[in-house]
Every structure is written in C-alpha cells, then in structure tokens.
Amino acid sequence: MTAVAARPQLMRALNEQLLLEQIRAAAPVSRPELARLSGLSKPTVALAIDGLERAGLVQVAGQRTGVRGPSALLYELRADAGFVLGLDVGREYIRGALSDLSGSVRAKLSRRAPAASARSRVGELAALADELLTAASVRKRRALLQTVVGSPGVVDPARGALRMASNLPGWEQPHVLSELRRLLGPETLVENDVDMAAVAERAHGHGRDASTFAFVSVGTGIGMGVVIDGKLHRGAHGAAGEIAYLPIEDGGADPREARQRGALEAVASSAAVVRSARTHGLEGPLSARRVFAAAAKGDERARAVVAREAALVAKALASIIAVVDPELIVLGGGIGGAAGFATEVARSLEQVAPFVPELRVSALGEDAVVQGCLAAGTELAWERVLQSRTLV
C-alpha cells in the first residue's frame, strides 16, 4: 500500500521538477506554453504550478496581452527563493558577491587583506559574507543555498586540507577548511581559484564560443583552468592545471622556492619579475606593474625583463598546446592581462609551439574568480532546489 500511495506524490514531484527547469529556461512563460514544452496536460501543469507557487519557487511575472483569446498569466522563477555566495581569497585582497537564484548579483564587495594569518583571513571572509548578506537585505541565513570559495591550491580529501597554496601562509593547515564551513555554513565548497576563473570565462567571457580552452593566470601565482568539450577538467587529484610545477625555468630559480612553489612560478611570478628587474639594473620601489609600465614607456632594461617573462610563459603555453590542443587560450592575472603582454607571448610562442591557437586577454578582470564561484554555486543551488521537490 505504501508504494501505491507514494506513486502520485512522486509523479507530482517529478512534474514540478520538469516545470521548474522549463520556467528557468523559458521565463516568462504561460501555462499553455509550459504544457506544450513539457508534454504534460494542462490540468497537470496547473496542479504543479500551484504547488510551486505555494513553495515560493515561482511567481506571476505579468500577463500576455495583444493576442487572440483571453490573456494568459506568465510565470518566472522567484529569484529570492535562494541565494548564492561567491568568495575569492587572495594574498592581498578578498572579494565576494551575492547572487539570487536567477543569477542576478545583489551585492558585491572587496577588501584589502594583506599578510593576515590563516585564522584571521577566515574571519575576514566570514565578516565579508555577513556584509554581503546585509547589503542585499537577506535577513535569514537559511536562504543562502550555496557558498563557493575560490582559493589557491586544491583540496586534499585524505588530509581534509588544502595543498599547493603556499602563497597564503598557514592556508594549508587542516583547521582552515573546517573553520570555513563552521563560519560560512555546511553548504560551503572550496574550489581552485583559477578553475573558477575558467568557469567564469566559459559562462561570461571568451570561452562561450570555444568548447576546449585554457584560462591561464599569471600574477602573484601561476595557474591554469582547462575546459575540455565544455566541461571543467579537474584531473584525478583535482590538480589539473597546476602549471606552476612545470619544470620550466631559466637557471635563476632558488631550489627551495622551486620545490615549494613550482619551478615555473619561481621564475615567472610577479615576485620573480621584480627580482629580474633588479638584476637588470632597475632601482627604487618596484612591482611587476611598474616594470611593465616602464617597458611600455620604452625603458630597454624593463623591456628585456618583459621579453624574458613572455618567453617563459610561451614555453608553458607550448606544453599546454601539445597536450590539450585548445581552440583558445585566455590570459588573465596581473601580468597575463597587462597591456601588450599577450602580443609578446604570441611572438615567442610562434618560435616554440607547433601551432598557435587564438590567444586573448580576459575581459573579466579581478571579478573572474567571484563570477566563476557564483556560476558554479548557482548550478549546485539549482540542483538542491530540484531535489527539494522530491522531499515534500
């Protein structure tokens, strides 16, 4: 008797799931249109819509007028049925944004957070999350369906901790992940930051028109997110794209730094650019940004540093091309996005790669990681909403 009684309830849940997906894809949409799109009868659609309205998941968006016959009510997702939080933790800054279930950003904030301990950095992320919720007038934390944190490194499930996050002191300690989930909520997922930038590029940037592409970030650190046949490729240990560890260097790497950060990152990150600039005779307060600015003004010493950097990055890209064969490579990060750098890299790449795919600079800037976290989080939240209809 239990199985027989449960069947109508299960059918209603499946119908509601189907219509939610149709409304998400086609809103604003009428009941007759939903019946046609879903293949369900009009009475079945009406029953399911009533259930979704009572659950606070859909709402009337207006009426369609100007057509023959009675006007039809139009339905859309109720955007405030749930929210998604995206956070980006870096060495100098933390950034975040809150979006609703439709993907619209309700609040966005960033904070300078240099040289903090791991524990205080976790606290700063939690405080930023609270500020975002307040700014978006979200009073109930349970309305937050999913949080995604973009962080350097990858999660090691065996240790319950991050690995390969040496740019953030103390960030590889096991308590970091547990504290993040305690303060941000159990539905908190930690993802590699450059992977999230690649997800953002696929959703909002140049990657929309490419099925296989790589997003390569060059700045404080070096990393890659790779999308193959439309899907983010993580690898067996979640470490696909950790190109900082490619054995590419020019003889100037400190062996200890190369072991800790990776050979390529030791000679091609922003800190390495500054070291190279000093060896070329540049003086005064230096940063990678200032070195590139000096090169743009014609300083021959700075131009030599930029050319060296471009050659190192080109060697890394040649390795990616030989293995992945991407349609497109998108450069991001403080160095990767610097004016004229992509042209220098392409020139060097022509000398070492079998062919040169399209090379573009990301237009997403410093928001790339947060946008990727929101995109990934929205899909996870949406899956949770759909699943919830089978539990009522």
Side-chain angles (χ1 to χ4, degrees), residues 184-217:
L184 298 175
E187 302 300 341
T188 296
L189 181 67
V190 178
E191 293 276 15
N192 176 265
D193 52 358
V194 186
D195 278 353
M196 291 299 95
V199 168
E201 201 67 43
R202 180 185 63 189
H204 307 294
H206 302 309
R208 286 176 294 183
D209 301 320
S211 64
T212 297
F213 71 92
F215 180 97
V216 177
S217 178

Side-chain angles (χ1 to χ4, degrees), residues 44 98 128 200 213 227 241 255 276 298 302 306 327 372:
T44 299
L98 187 81
L128 184 65
F213 71 92
V227 173
S276 178
V306 171
E327 305 165 49

Side-chain angles (χ1 to χ4, degrees), residues 91-94 110-114 124:
R91 186 177 178 88
E92 299 293 330
Y93 287 88
I94 56 172
S110 66
R111 294 283 181 271
R112 186 169 171 80
E124 288 167 349

Side-chain angles (χ1 to χ4, degrees), residues 284-356:
L286 287 178
S287 66
R289 187 188 300 270
R290 289 178 177 175
V291 173
F292 273 75
K297 292 178 181 178
D299 187 304
E300 290 299 327
R301 297 167 300 174
R303 290 179 67 176
V305 174
V306 171
R308 167 189 173 275
E309 176 75 3
L312 287 167
V313 171
K315 288 180 181 179
L317 298 190
S319 301
I320 296 164
I321 291 167
V323 175
V324 180
D325 188 18
E327 305 165 49
L328 166 72
I329 295 177
V330 180
L331 290 178
I335 292 175
F341 186 64
T343 302
E344 288 277 354
V345 172
R347 189 177 297 120
S348 293
L349 194 55
E350 289 174 352
Q351 302 173 23
V352 294
F355 65 91
V356 180

Side-chain angles (χ1 to χ4, degrees), residues 36-344:
R36 186 172 66 254
L37 289 169
S38 66
L40 300 175
S41 68
K42 291 182 180 179
T44 299
V45 168
L47 182 64
I49 290 294
D50 289 344
L52 293 172
E53 282 190 287
R54 287 194 302 272
L57 294 174
V58 302
Q59 63 187 8
V60 174
Q63 286 184 297
R64 178 163 292 143
T65 58
V67 295
R68 296 180 60 182
S71 60
L73 292 176
L74 299 175
Y75 292 88
E76 65 182 1
L77 287 180
R78 186 168 174 172
D80 61 0
F83 295 90
V84 174
L85 179 64
L87 298 171
D88 171 19
V89 54
R91 186 177 178 88
E92 299 293 330
Y93 287 88
I94 56 172
R95 298 182 173 89
L98 187 81
S99 69
D100 59 35
L101 203 56
S102 72
S104 297
V105 174
R106 298 291 190 94
K108 184 171 72 170
L109 295 168
S110 66
R111 294 283 181 271
R112 186 169 171 80
S117 68
R119 195 171 297 278
S120 64
R121 196 179 296 273
V122 170
E124 288 167 349
L125 284 172
L128 184 65
D130 288 337
E131 287 185 61
L132 287 164
L133 290 166
T134 300
S137 299
V138 178
R139 296 177 178 83
K140 297 180 180 178
R141 257 196 175 271
R142 66 174 179 269
L144 186 59
L145 299 180
Q146 183 67 52
T147 297
V148 178
V149 179
S151 166
V154 297
V155 174
D156 180 353
R159 292 180 58 239
L162 283 154
R163 295 179 58 222
M164 296 181 283
S166 58
N167 282 328
L168 296 181
W171 205 240
E172 297 178 352
Q173 297 174 12
H175 71 80
V176 168
L177 292 184
S178 59
E179 279 292 289
L180 282 172
R181 295 190 178 104
R182 185 180 71 81
L183 293 175
L184 298 175
E187 302 300 341
T188 296
L189 181 67
V190 178
E191 293 276 15
N192 176 265
D193 52 358
V194 186
D195 278 353
M196 291 299 95
V199 168
E201 201 67 43
R202 180 185 63 189
H204 307 294
H206 302 309
R208 286 176 294 183
D209 301 320
S211 64
T212 297
F213 71 92
F215 180 97
V216 177
S217 178
V218 186
T220 303
I222 295 177
M224 177 183 75
V226 60
V227 173
I228 298 176
D229 294 334
K231 296 180 180 179
L232 180 68
H233 181 69
R234 299 175 183 276
H237 304 93
E242 291 293 334
I243 60 171
Y245 291 87
L246 285 175
I248 296 172
E249 52 99 7
D250 61 356
D254 177 87
R256 185 183 307 171
E257 185 181 9
R259 284 195 302 272
Q260 183 181 25
R261 302 181 60 184
L264 177 62
E265 188 167 295
V267 296
S269 63
S270 56
V273 168
V274 171
R275 286 198 301 269
S276 178
R278 294 203 185 282
T279 63
H280 279 77
L282 275 76
E283 299 176 347
L286 287 178
S287 66
R289 187 188 300 270
R290 289 178 177 175
V291 173
F292 273 75
K297 292 178 181 178
D299 187 304
E300 290 299 327
R301 297 167 300 174
R303 290 179 67 176
V305 174
V306 171
R308 167 189 173 275
E309 176 75 3
L312 287 167
V313 171
K315 288 180 181 179
L317 298 190
S319 301
I320 296 164
I321 291 167
V323 175
V324 180
D325 188 18
E327 305 165 49
L328 166 72
I329 295 177
V330 180
L331 290 178
I335 292 175
F341 186 64
T343 302
E344 288 277 354

